Amino acid sequence: MARFSPHTETQPDLSIRRTLFVAAFVAFWMLGISARLVYLQVSRHDKLAARAHEQQQDAIETSPTRGPVLDRQEHELARTIDTSSIFIAPDEFSQNKNDTDAQITGAIECTSQNLSSILGLDQKAVFNQISEARSGGRRFLWIARRVTPDKAQALEALELVAVHTRKEPKRFYPNGSLAANVLGFVGLDGNGLAGIEQVYNEKITGEPGKVFIEKDSRAGHTTAPKWRAGRVRQSF
């Protein structure tokens, strides 16, 4: 008659215990992960969503678009035209995590040279502004406001890293200095400072818009809502 050793009899028991131990470990591990996910999705959802929004998007208020001033025959005496302004997104100089400080500095220097040559700015000052903005964690830096169309087109053609253009309103008087003392004028902030522009400032002024800078893994892009403004008709 064949004899069975104690080792042979206990071997199945050990295998079952090991299987049960591994299964229990996996079950507890999955339970812990599920509990953590529930905690993040329920208890900390609002806080984490706000943090992600803050990291990925920034908003900058832009000048409102003023309505036109018309004479009694509906001819424009003053209107707003679009001009281009240039700004920098400093964090876009390091889109690749493997970029070294030397490479980033070189990119900033190249960009500052092109900007200074086209816009007539001091290259060293532009370089320092961009470097300080990047080291300070800023996501937006104005370089030039309301530049001429040819300068804006020249910069857009170069497709420089981190350089973007933004349409901004500028007051235009089709008849030049005609009735200038009556019409008045506006300041750089778009508010009327004299004449009709000042008296009816609240009615003519539109609502300010916003530039939204959204950052993803590749690049940033901007969008801006448009707002309506009132208009003024004068009997002259």
Side-chain angles (χ1 to χ4, degrees), residues 7-205:
H7 177 73
T8 303
E9 294 175 353
T10 59
Q11 186 66 31
D13 293 338
L14 292 176
S15 299
I16 293 174
R17 291 177 182 176
R18 289 174 181 172
T19 302
L20 291 175
F21 175 78
V22 172
F25 175 80
V26 172
F28 279 112
W29 178 77
M30 294 180 64
L31 182 63
I33 295 296
S34 300
R36 180 64 176 173
L37 290 175
V38 171
Y39 168 73
L40 293 176
Q41 289 291 332
V42 177
S43 301
R44 303 196 62 191
H45 176 269
D46 294 340
K47 185 175 181 180
L48 293 175
R51 182 185 299 179
H53 181 80
E54 181 180 352
Q55 292 176 347
Q56 297 173 1
Q57 188 179 85
D58 196 8
I60 298 175
E61 189 170 291
T62 60
S63 302
T65 301
R66 294 175 68 86
V69 177
L70 311 175
D71 63 14
R72 61 184 177 183
Q73 296 180 345
E74 298 288 332
H75 296 150
E76 287 186 338
L77 301 175
R79 71 170 182 266
T80 297
I81 61 175
D82 282 336
T83 59
S84 296
S85 293
I86 314 299
F87 70 91
I88 294 285
D91 56 344
E92 291 184 10
F93 283 105
S94 55
Q95 296 180 9
N96 192 335
K97 295 181 179 180
N98 297 325
D99 289 343
T100 63
D101 291 340
Q103 290 175 321
I104 296 173
T105 302
I108 295 176
E109 185 174 359
C110 177
T111 297
S112 62
Q113 287 177 349
N114 284 283
L115 288 172
S116 59
S117 62
I118 294 176
L119 300 176
L121 304 174
D122 181 77
Q123 190 269 335
K124 185 177 181 180
V126 174
F127 176 84
N128 291 336
Q129 287 179 349
I130 298 175
S131 300
E132 292 174 1
R134 184 179 178 277
S135 61
R138 295 176 58 185
R139 297 184 181 181
F140 188 96
L141 174 66
W142 281 120
I143 295 296
R145 307 288 295 273
R146 300 179 176 89
V147 301
T148 58
D150 56 333
K151 292 182 178 180
Q153 291 173 3
L155 285 174
E156 290 175 351
L158 292 177
E159 297 183 350
L160 299 174
V161 175
V163 177
H164 303 273
T165 59
R166 160 69 184 145
K167 295 296 183 183
E168 281 200 300
K170 179 181 180 180
R171 207 59 169 163
F172 174 69
Y173 300 94
N175 299 316
S177 60
L178 179 64
N181 59 329
V182 177
L183 291 174
F185 59 93
V186 300
L188 292 176
D189 58 357
N191 289 321
L193 300 179
I196 293 173
E197 296 279 20
Q198 183 180 32
V199 173
Y200 295 98
N201 183 69
E202 185 175 349
K203 181 176 181 180
I204 300 175
T205 302

Side-chain angles (χ1 to χ4, degrees), residues 210-224:
K210 285 186 178 181
V211 175
F212 293 97
I213 303 179
E214 298 179 357
K215 183 69 176 179
D216 55 22
S217 59
R218 295 173 296 178
H221 65 274
T222 61
T223 60

